[in-house]
Every structure is written in structure tokens, then in C-alpha cells.
Amino acid sequence: MAVTRVLALGRAELTLLGRNRMALYIALLMPVTMVAAMQRSLDDLDLGASGMSLKEVSITGAFGYILLFAVYQNLVSAYVARREELVLKRLRTGEAGDAEILTGAALPAVGVALAQCAVLVVAGVSLLGLRAVARPDLLLAGLLLGVVLSVALAAVTAGWAKTVESAQLVTMPLMVLSLLGSGLFIPVEIMPDGLAGACRLLPLTPVVELMRGGWLGGMGAGEALRALGTALAWAGLGVFAVRRWFRWEPRR
């Protein structure tokens, strides 16, 4: 069965992830490090127009860090490594379909990200004094769309890297754009109108808006529909790009 094959691939990938200390560090500790760095960087920033406190901005921004580091960057390296080692090519000769292979390889990273997001919400409410989740539906929708989008973008980006070492370089453009423009560091609400409009078209921005609005509330129906539409469009485009351009053959 497809589910059995995907889970088997996921278990194998989890074993490899456990042996890779650098990948574990990026997935588990980098989001925490980025939250701490962001809080220090935003001390002098006026967040009044955003309607959020520094703590609310930094903690909800951590959702984006988790998607970027635990899923996107981690999976780019994993896909490149398995491709160059001919693992993906050998798997395609078996019963597993293309979607099953890519999904199975992504399972450990996705599992880590979902667990981190759950811990983040619990710790934010119970330990850090943040308000309870106002719209669980929006938070969950943003998280699921963010996972799908991050996996798809990782698969597409992996095609540009020839080695695992170069995989870290090809992820930088999207990482930098997302960190600076998707509301992780600076809320889109306090940006100039023209810049805010452009930043809302970035892949990760609608995902962060949905998760932030789902947790903190205050997101109108029009804003929610706009963010959902943009996130769905990016997710659909990402899945299409994977089907069209993902590289199964080694690049060497």
C-alpha cells in the first residue's frame, strides 16, 4: 500500500537524519536562535502600528523560522544528497511512485516542524503569557499550507544544487527574502504600503499571516481569504513546478 511505502521511506530518512548532527542542529536549534536574535534586533522598533507586542511578533514569527530551517533548508540538502547517491533513481525502479518517494523523504522534517509548532503554541500560552489561540482553523490552515509549500519549494530548489555543500547556497535567496519580507522580523503591517503590497506576494508571507492571525486574532474575513488564496496559489504552483522540473538524475 502507498501509506506503508511512504512510512517505510520516512523511517529510513529519520534514521539518516538522526545521524546527521548538522541537520539536527539546523532543524531543532536554529529557529530558537533566530527568535532570540530577532528579539534583540527589534528592541528599538516601533511596533505600535502593528497592534502587536515584541513578544507576540517574535514568537509568532518563529513559525516561519521553523518552516524555513526545519523543512525547507533541511529538505533541500536531503533531496540533493539522495539524488547524488542514486537513492532516488533506485527507488523509482520499485513500486513507489514519485509523490510517495518525495513525501517519504520529507516525513521526518515535517514531523519535526509540526512538533516544534505545537510546543511553540503550548509554551507561548502557558509559559510566556501570550493570548490563547483565537482562530485554530486559520492557524492550522496556515501551518498545513506552509508545510506543503516548503516541501515543494525544497524539491524545486534541490534541482539547482550539484552537491550537498552547494545546497546551502541555493537556499539563500529565498531564505533572505522570507526573513526580511515575510513578516518574520518586521511585521508587514508597519511597512510602507508599496513595500507591504510587494511583500505580501512572497511565498511565505500569507502563511505567516494566517498563522499569526489564527493565534492572535484580529484577522478579518477579507484578509483571511486573501492570504488563503495567495498561499493556495503558491502551493499549487510549487506542486506543478516539482512535477515539471524536479531532477531525479545526478548532476555530476
Side-chain angles (χ1 to χ4, degrees):
M1 292 179 60
V3 174
T4 302
R5 291 192 292 268
V6 169
L7 291 176
L9 291 170
R11 284 195 297 270
E13 191 65 36
L14 180 61
T15 301
L16 295 173
L17 177 62
R19 295 173 180 174
N20 189 333
R21 293 184 179 180
M22 180 57 69
L24 279 176
Y25 166 76
I26 291 174
L28 298 176
L29 298 182
M30 187 60 76
V32 178
T33 304
M34 293 300 295
V35 170
M38 184 177 72
Q39 284 187 321
R40 291 194 296 269
S41 301
L42 295 181
D43 281 340
D44 299 325
L45 186 65
D46 183 10
L47 298 173
S50 70
M52 294 178 285
S53 67
L54 173 60
K55 185 184 296 185
E56 289 173 336
V57 170
S58 59
I59 298 301
T60 55
F63 287 123
Y65 302 138
I66 291 170
L67 292 174
L68 283 175
F69 290 102
V71 182
Y72 174 67
Q73 192 176 56
N74 192 10
L75 275 183
V76 172
S77 297
Y79 284 143
V80 173
R82 308 301 170 260
R83 184 192 70 208
E84 296 303 310
E85 294 165 355
L86 301 179
V87 173
L88 298 182
K89 187 175 182 179
R90 288 196 296 269
L91 288 173
R92 291 189 90 195
T93 64
E95 296 181 357
D98 291 353
E100 294 172 23
I101 295 171
L102 295 179
T103 301
L107 276 185
V110 171
V112 168
L114 293 177
Q116 285 182 314
C117 288
V119 170
L120 181 68
V121 174
V122 173
V125 174
S126 61
L127 300 179
L128 301 178
L130 269 68
R131 67 191 81 171
V133 175
R135 292 285 304 275
D137 55 331
L138 291 182
L139 178 61
L140 184 59
L143 178 57
L144 294 179
L145 285 170
V147 166
V148 172
L149 180 58
S150 299
V151 173
L153 290 174
V156 175
T157 306
W160 301 338
K162 294 183 178 180
T163 64
V164 175
E165 291 74 18
S166 64
Q168 303 302 313
L169 296 177
V170 299
T171 62
M172 290 306 295
L174 181 61
M175 297 281 288
V176 173
L177 278 175
S178 299
L179 289 171
L180 297 180
S182 291
L184 280 67
F185 269 111
I186 303 174
V188 178
E189 291 83 357
I190 66 174
M191 295 180 183
D193 291 342
L195 179 60
C199 287
R200 285 193 171 95
L201 297 177
L202 294 174
L204 202 61
T205 305
V207 170
V208 173
E209 287 183 326
L210 285 170
M211 291 190 287
R212 181 170 280 159
W215 188 342
L216 303 178
M219 192 176 208
E223 294 175 311
L225 288 174
R226 174 186 52 75
L228 280 169
T230 307
L232 283 169
W234 272 111
L237 183 61
V239 172
F240 169 79
V242 173
R243 294 171 62 90
R244 179 67 177 82
W245 291 298
F246 183 76
R247 296 181 63 96
W248 297 92
E249 298 286 339
R251 291 197 55 173
R252 60 176 180 270

Coordinates of all heavy atoms in Angstrom, one line a residue, residues 133-190:
V133 N -5.0 30.8 21.5 CA -5.3 30.7 20.1 C -6.7 31.2 19.8 O -7.6 30.6 20.3 CB -5.0 29.3 19.5 CG1 -5.3 29.3 18.0 CG2 -3.5 29.0 19.7
A134 N -6.8 32.2 19.0 CA -8.2 32.8 18.7 C -8.9 32.1 17.6 O -10.1 31.8 17.7 CB -8.0 34.3 18.3
R135 N -8.2 31.7 16.5 CA -8.8 31.0 15.4 C -7.9 29.8 15.0 O -7.1 29.8 14.2 CB -8.8 31.9 14.2 CG -9.8 33.1 14.3 CD -11.2 32.7 14.1 NE -11.4 32.0 12.9 CZ -11.7 32.6 11.7 NH1 -11.8 33.9 11.7 NH2 -11.9 31.9 10.6
P136 N -8.2 28.6 15.7 CA -7.4 27.4 15.4 C -7.5 27.0 13.9 O -6.6 26.4 13.4 CB -8.0 26.4 16.3 CG -8.7 27.2 17.4 CD -9.2 28.4 16.8
D137 N -8.6 27.3 13.3 CA -8.8 26.9 11.9 C -7.8 27.6 11.0 O -7.2 27.0 10.1 CB -10.2 27.2 11.4 CG -10.7 28.6 11.6 OD1 -10.2 29.3 12.6 OD2 -11.5 29.1 10.9
L138 N -7.6 28.9 11.2 CA -6.7 29.7 10.4 C -5.2 29.3 10.7 O -4.4 29.2 9.8 CB -6.8 31.2 10.7 CG -8.1 31.9 10.2 CD1 -8.1 33.3 10.5 CD2 -8.3 31.6 8.7
L139 N -4.9 29.0 12.0 CA -3.6 28.6 12.4 C -3.3 27.3 11.7 O -2.2 27.1 11.1 CB -3.5 28.5 13.9 CG -2.2 28.0 14.5 CD1 -1.1 28.9 14.1 CD2 -2.3 27.8 16.0
L140 N -4.2 26.3 11.7 CA -4.0 25.0 11.2 C -3.9 25.1 9.6 O -3.0 24.4 9.0 CB -5.1 24.0 11.5 CG -5.0 22.6 11.1 CD1 -3.7 22.0 11.6 CD2 -6.2 21.8 11.5
A141 N -4.7 25.9 9.0 CA -4.7 26.1 7.6 C -3.3 26.6 7.1 O -2.7 26.2 6.2 CB -5.8 27.0 7.1
G142 N -2.9 27.7 7.8 CA -1.6 28.3 7.5 C -0.4 27.3 7.7 O 0.5 27.2 6.9
L143 N -0.5 26.5 8.8 CA 0.6 25.5 9.0 C 0.6 24.4 7.9 O 1.7 24.1 7.4 CB 0.4 24.9 10.4 CG 1.4 23.8 10.8 CD1 2.8 24.3 10.8 CD2 1.0 23.2 12.2
L144 N -0.6 23.9 7.6 CA -0.6 22.8 6.5 C -0.2 23.4 5.2 O 0.6 22.7 4.5 CB -2.0 22.2 6.5 CG -2.5 21.5 7.7 CD1 -3.9 20.9 7.5 CD2 -1.5 20.3 8.0
L145 N -0.6 24.5 4.8 CA -0.2 25.1 3.5 C 1.3 25.5 3.6 O 2.0 25.3 2.6 CB -1.0 26.4 3.3 CG -2.5 26.1 2.8 CD1 -3.3 27.5 2.8 CD2 -2.5 25.5 1.4
G146 N 1.8 25.9 4.7 CA 3.2 26.2 4.8 C 4.0 25.0 4.7 O 5.1 25.0 4.0
V147 N 3.6 23.9 5.2 CA 4.4 22.6 5.1 C 4.4 22.2 3.6 O 5.5 21.8 3.1 CB 3.7 21.5 6.0 CG1 4.3 20.1 5.6 CG2 4.0 21.8 7.5
V148 N 3.2 22.1 3.0 CA 3.2 21.7 1.6 C 4.1 22.6 0.7 O 4.8 22.2 -0.1 CB 1.7 21.8 1.1 CG1 1.7 21.5 -0.4 CG2 0.9 20.7 1.8
L149 N 4.0 23.9 0.9 CA 4.7 24.9 0.2 C 6.2 24.7 0.4 O 7.0 24.7 -0.5 CB 4.3 26.3 0.5 CG 5.0 27.5 -0.2 CD1 4.9 27.3 -1.7 CD2 4.5 28.8 0.3
S150 N 6.6 24.5 1.7 CA 8.0 24.4 2.0 C 8.6 23.1 1.4 O 9.8 23.1 0.9 CB 8.2 24.4 3.5 OG 7.8 25.6 4.1
V151 N 7.9 22.0 1.4 CA 8.4 20.8 0.8 C 8.5 21.0 -0.7 O 9.5 20.5 -1.3 CB 7.4 19.6 1.1 CG1 7.8 18.4 0.3 CG2 7.4 19.3 2.6
A152 N 7.5 21.6 -1.4 CA 7.5 21.8 -2.8 C 8.7 22.7 -3.2 O 9.4 22.4 -4.2 CB 6.2 22.4 -3.3
L153 N 8.9 23.8 -2.5 CA 10.0 24.7 -2.8 C 11.3 24.0 -2.6 O 12.3 24.3 -3.3 CB 9.9 25.9 -1.9 CG 8.7 26.9 -2.2 CD1 8.7 28.0 -1.2 CD2 8.9 27.5 -3.6
A154 N 11.4 23.2 -1.6 CA 12.7 22.4 -1.3 C 13.0 21.5 -2.5 O 14.1 21.4 -3.0 CB 12.6 21.6 0.0
A155 N 12.0 20.8 -3.0 CA 12.2 19.9 -4.1 C 12.6 20.6 -5.4 O 13.5 20.2 -6.1 CB 10.9 19.1 -4.3
V156 N 12.0 21.8 -5.6 CA 12.4 22.6 -6.8 C 13.8 23.1 -6.6 O 14.6 23.1 -7.6 CB 11.3 23.7 -7.0 CG1 11.8 24.6 -8.2 CG2 10.0 23.1 -7.3
T157 N 14.1 23.7 -5.5 CA 15.4 24.3 -5.3 C 16.5 23.3 -5.3 O 17.6 23.6 -5.8 CB 15.4 25.0 -3.9 OG1 14.3 25.9 -3.8 CG2 16.7 25.7 -3.7
A158 N 16.2 22.0 -4.9 CA 17.3 21.0 -5.0 C 17.8 20.8 -6.4 O 18.9 20.3 -6.5 CB 16.7 19.7 -4.4
G159 N 17.0 21.0 -7.4 CA 17.4 20.9 -8.8 C 18.5 21.8 -9.2 O 19.3 21.6 -10.1
W160 N 18.7 22.9 -8.4 CA 19.8 23.9 -8.8 C 21.1 23.6 -8.1 O 22.1 24.2 -8.5 CB 19.3 25.3 -8.3 CG 18.1 25.7 -8.9 CD1 17.5 25.3 -10.1 CD2 17.2 26.7 -8.4 NE1 16.3 25.9 -10.4 CE2 16.1 26.8 -9.4 CE3 17.2 27.5 -7.3 CZ2 15.0 27.7 -9.2 CZ3 16.1 28.4 -7.1 CH2 15.1 28.5 -8.0
A161 N 21.1 22.6 -7.2 CA 22.4 22.3 -6.5 C 23.0 21.1 -7.0 O 22.4 20.1 -7.3 CB 22.1 22.1 -5.0
K162 N 24.3 21.1 -7.2 CA 25.1 20.0 -7.7 C 25.6 19.1 -6.6 O 25.8 17.9 -6.8 CB 26.3 20.5 -8.6 CG 25.9 21.2 -9.8 CD 27.1 21.5 -10.7 CE 26.7 22.2 -12.0 NZ 27.9 22.6 -12.8
T163 N 25.8 19.7 -5.4 CA 26.3 19.0 -4.3 C 25.6 19.4 -3.0 O 24.9 20.4 -3.0 CB 27.8 19.3 -4.0 OG1 28.0 20.7 -3.7 CG2 28.6 18.9 -5.3
V164 N 25.8 18.6 -1.9 CA 25.1 19.0 -0.7 C 25.7 20.3 -0.2 O 24.9 21.1 0.4 CB 25.4 17.8 0.4 CG1 24.8 18.3 1.7 CG2 24.7 16.5 -0.1
E165 N 27.0 20.5 -0.4 CA 27.6 21.8 0.1 C 26.9 23.0 -0.6 O 26.6 24.0 0.0 CB 29.1 21.8 -0.1 CG 29.8 20.8 0.7 CD 29.7 19.3 0.3 OE1 29.2 19.1 -0.9 OE2 29.9 18.4 1.1
S166 N 26.7 22.9 -1.9 CA 26.1 24.0 -2.7 C 24.6 24.1 -2.4 O 24.1 25.2 -2.7 CB 26.3 23.8 -4.2 OG 25.7 22.6 -4.6
A167 N 24.0 23.1 -1.8 CA 22.6 23.2 -1.4 C 22.4 24.4 -0.5 O 21.3 25.0 -0.5 CB 22.1 21.9 -0.8
Q168 N 23.3 24.6 0.5 CA 23.2 25.7 1.4 C 23.2 27.0 0.7 O 22.5 28.0 1.1 CB 24.3 25.6 2.4 CG 24.4 24.3 3.2 CD 23.1 24.0 3.9 OE1 22.5 24.8 4.6 NE2 22.6 22.8 3.8
L169 N 23.9 27.1 -0.4 CA 24.0 28.4 -1.1 C 22.7 28.7 -1.9 O 22.2 29.8 -2.0 CB 25.2 28.4 -2.1 CG 26.6 28.3 -1.4 CD1 27.7 28.2 -2.5 CD2 26.8 29.5 -0.5
V170 N 22.1 27.6 -2.6 CA 21.0 27.9 -3.4 C 19.7 28.2 -2.6 O 18.7 28.7 -3.2 CB 20.7 26.7 -4.4 CG1 21.9 26.5 -5.3 CG2 20.4 25.4 -3.6
T171 N 19.8 27.9 -1.3 CA 18.6 28.2 -0.5 C 18.6 29.7 0.0 O 17.6 30.2 0.5 CB 18.5 27.3 0.8 OG1 19.7 27.5 1.6 CG2 18.4 25.8 0.4
M172 N 19.8 30.3 -0.1 CA 19.9 31.7 0.5 C 19.0 32.7 -0.1 O 18.4 33.5 0.7 CB 21.4 32.1 0.3 CG 22.4 31.4 1.2 SD 21.9 31.4 3.0 CE 22.0 33.1 3.3
P173 N 18.7 32.8 -1.4 CA 17.8 33.8 -1.9 C 16.5 33.8 -1.3 O 16.0 34.8 -0.8 CB 17.8 33.6 -3.4 CG 19.1 32.9 -3.7 CD 19.4 32.1 -2.5
L174 N 15.8 32.6 -1.3 CA 14.5 32.5 -0.7 C 14.6 32.7 0.8 O 13.7 33.4 1.4 CB 13.9 31.2 -1.0 CG 12.5 31.0 -0.4 CD1 11.5 32.0 -1.0 CD2 12.0 29.5 -0.7
M175 N 15.6 32.2 1.5 CA 15.7 32.4 2.9 C 15.8 33.9 3.3 O 15.1 34.4 4.2 CB 17.0 31.7 3.4 CG 17.0 30.2 3.2 SD 16.0 29.3 4.5 CE 17.1 29.5 5.9
V176 N 16.7 34.6 2.6 CA 16.8 36.1 2.9 C 15.6 36.8 2.6 O 15.1 37.7 3.4 CB 18.0 36.6 2.1 CG1 18.1 38.2 2.3 CG2 19.3 36.0 2.5
L177 N 14.9 36.6 1.4 CA 13.7 37.3 1.1 C 12.6 37.0 2.1 O 11.9 37.9 2.5 CB 13.2 36.8 -0.3 CG 13.8 37.5 -1.5 CD1 13.3 36.8 -2.8 CD2 13.5 39.0 -1.5
S178 N 12.5 35.8 2.6 CA 11.5 35.4 3.5 C 11.7 36.0 4.9 O 10.8 36.5 5.6 CB 11.4 33.9 3.6 OG 11.0 33.3 2.4
L179 N 13.0 36.0 5.3 CA 13.3 36.5 6.6 C 13.1 38.0 6.7 O 12.6 38.5 7.7 CB 14.8 36.2 7.0 CG 15.2 34.8 7.3 CD1 16.7 34.6 7.4 CD2 14.5 34.3 8.6
L180 N 13.4 38.7 5.6 CA 13.3 40.2 5.6 C 11.9 40.7 5.2 O 11.4 41.7 5.6 CB 14.3 40.8 4.7 CG 15.8 40.6 5.1 CD1 16.7 41.2 4.1 CD2 16.0 41.1 6.5
G181 N 11.2 39.9 4.3 CA 10.0 40.5 3.7 C 8.7 39.8 4.1 O 7.6 40.2 3.7
S182 N 8.8 38.6 4.8 CA 7.5 37.9 5.0 C 7.0 38.1 6.4 O 6.1 37.3 6.8 CB 7.8 36.4 4.8 OG 8.0 36.1 3.4
G183 N 7.4 39.1 7.1 CA 6.9 39.4 8.4 C 7.5 38.7 9.6 O 7.0 38.8 10.7
L184 N 8.6 37.9 9.3 CA 9.2 37.2 10.4 C 10.0 38.2 11.4 O 9.8 38.1 12.6 CB 10.2 36.2 9.9 CG 9.6 34.8 9.4 CD1 8.7 35.0 8.2 CD2 10.7 33.8 9.1
F185 N 10.8 39.1 10.8 CA 11.5 40.1 11.5 C 10.6 41.3 11.7 O 10.4 41.8 12.8 CB 12.8 40.5 10.8 CG 14.0 39.6 11.2 CD1 14.5 38.7 10.3 CD2 14.5 39.8 12.5 CE1 15.6 38.0 10.7 CE2 15.6 39.0 12.9 CZ 16.2 38.1 12.0
I186 N 10.2 41.9 10.6 CA 9.4 43.1 10.6 C 8.0 42.9 10.1 O 7.8 42.4 9.0 CB 10.1 44.2 9.7 CG1 11.5 44.4 10.2 CG2 9.3 45.5 9.8 CD1 12.3 45.3 9.3
P187 N 7.0 43.1 11.0 CA 5.6 42.9 10.5 C 5.2 43.6 9.3 O 5.6 44.8 9.1 CB 4.7 43.3 11.7 CG 5.7 43.3 12.9 CD 7.0 43.6 12.3
V188 N 4.5 43.0 8.3 CA 4.2 43.7 7.1 C 3.3 44.9 7.4 O 3.3 45.9 6.6 CB 3.4 42.7 6.2 CG1 3.0 43.3 4.9 CG2 4.3 41.5 5.9
E189 N 2.6 44.9 8.5 CA 1.7 46.0 8.8 C 2.4 47.3 9.0 O 1.7 48.4 8.9 CB 0.9 45.6 10.1 CG -0.2 44.5 9.9 CD 0.5 43.1 10.0 OE1 1.7 43.0 10.2 OE2 -0.3 42.1 10.0
I190 N 3.6 47.3 9.4 CA 4.3 48.6 9.7 C 5.2 49.0 8.5 O 5.9 50.0 8.6 CB 5.1 48.5 11.0 CG1 6.3 47.5 10.8 CG2 4.3 48.2 12.1 CD1 7.2 47.5 12.0

